[in-house]
Amino acid sequence: EHAHEFPVCSQLMVTFEKPWLIVVGALFHDIAKGRGGDHSVLGAVDARRFCRQHAISDEDTALVAYLVEHHLTMSTVAQKKDLSDPDTIADFAKIVQTEERLSALYILTVADIRGTSPKVWNGWKAKLLDDLYRHTKRYLAGDQPDRAARIGARRREAIRILDLYAINPESYRNFWEGLDIGYFMKTEGQDMAWHARVLSAHVGSVNPVVRARLS
């Protein structure tokens, strides 16, 4: 029904071996609200009890309980952590451990936020969750680029673009020297090049510089 709005989630749900496990997790994810204490932890206890009562396997029970206990984790990481930091992805990967859990948690997280209210869901949250899902999936698959390699690649892309404008290398290198590592981790090469083009001539200036471009 919502494949046009959530193509990735729809595809994941269709190809998930036991999609009903995600449905059970969704049914239990907020069941313990209002009892006092962490409703995620309390709800996971209820979910395990339900699974035992219905002779669900230990492996499937573990997945359902995991989804209930961590149903807020992915949205918290996506919205409050720096997704350009490899340590953020590595820490989240330790929590999910497997691609199956990652996919199930991604589906449940999107459904939870979107199901709360269409007003709560927006393109910004969608992009953050999608980025976290894709980065973590690559990490779990063994693609774990280090910070220096990522920054180096972005610098090379920025230099390639700046060379097209015949920008003096000394000017943008002086500009970059004044920026911390967080800038290079968060900024793509093409944006680095644009910043350098419009700001490198103003290094040390006390006056604010404002520039805009069409997006």
Side-chain angles (χ1 to χ4, degrees):
E1 182 182 350
H2 295 281
H4 66 289
E5 188 176 359
F6 304 104
V8 176
C9 285
S10 297
Q11 181 64 26
L12 289 174
M13 193 68 171
V14 168
T15 57
F16 205 81
E17 184 178 358
K18 298 178 181 178
W20 58 270
L21 292 173
I22 304 176
V23 176
V24 175
L27 289 171
F28 277 88
H29 80 287
D30 275 345
I31 200 169
K33 269 191 171 179
R35 290 190 202 163
D38 189 335
H39 76 282
S40 299
V41 175
L42 297 174
V45 174
D46 286 356
R48 289 191 185 93
R49 183 184 302 116
F50 173 87
C51 290
R52 285 197 301 269
Q53 291 171 343
H54 292 79
I56 295 175
S57 71
D58 291 344
E59 182 180 355
D60 291 344
T61 296
L63 177 59
V64 172
Y66 166 82
L67 291 175
V68 176
E69 185 173 352
H70 290 280
H71 72 273
L72 297 175
T73 301
M74 191 169 192
S75 60
T76 299
V77 173
Q79 297 178 49
K80 296 184 178 181
K81 299 288 187 177
D82 180 5
L83 301 186
S84 65
D85 187 344
D87 291 340
T88 298
I89 305 304
D91 290 343
F92 183 64
K94 291 177 183 177
I95 295 174
V96 295
Q97 297 182 352
T98 68
E99 187 175 333
E100 179 188 44
R101 283 187 172 187
L102 173 64
S103 297
L105 187 60
Y106 176 59
I107 293 169
L108 177 59
T109 302
V110 172
D112 186 19
I113 299 175
R114 177 62 175 79
T116 299
S117 167
K119 295 180 181 179
V120 175
W121 180 258
N122 56 48
W124 174 70
K125 292 178 181 177
K127 179 67 165 59
L128 291 176
L129 289 173
D130 184 67
D131 286 348
L132 179 56
Y133 170 74
R134 295 183 186 280
H135 292 336
T136 307
K137 183 178 179 180
R138 287 198 294 267
Y139 184 95
L140 291 171
D143 181 11
Q144 303 172 16
D146 60 37
R147 181 176 303 185
R150 180 174 297 185
I151 291 176
R154 290 179 175 177
R155 278 179 177 263
R156 288 191 294 274
E157 173 63 11
I159 291 172
R160 183 189 68 80
I161 296 172
L162 290 167
D163 284 345
L164 297 176
Y165 289 90
I167 305 295
N168 184 352
E170 184 176 351
S171 65
Y172 60 74
R173 284 172 184 156
N174 289 336
F175 170 63
W176 285 346
E177 285 178 0
L179 304 173
D180 60 25
I181 193 171
Y183 170 82
F184 297 101
M185 290 299 301
K186 297 176 183 177
T187 312
E188 296 295 335
Q190 58 183 355
D191 292 325
M192 286 173 56
W194 181 60
H195 296 162
R197 283 174 53 206
V198 299
L199 296 174
S200 59
H202 302 279
V203 173
S205 172
V206 298
N207 298 316
V209 178
V210 180
R211 295 289 185 272
R213 60 177 176 175
L214 291 174
S215 176

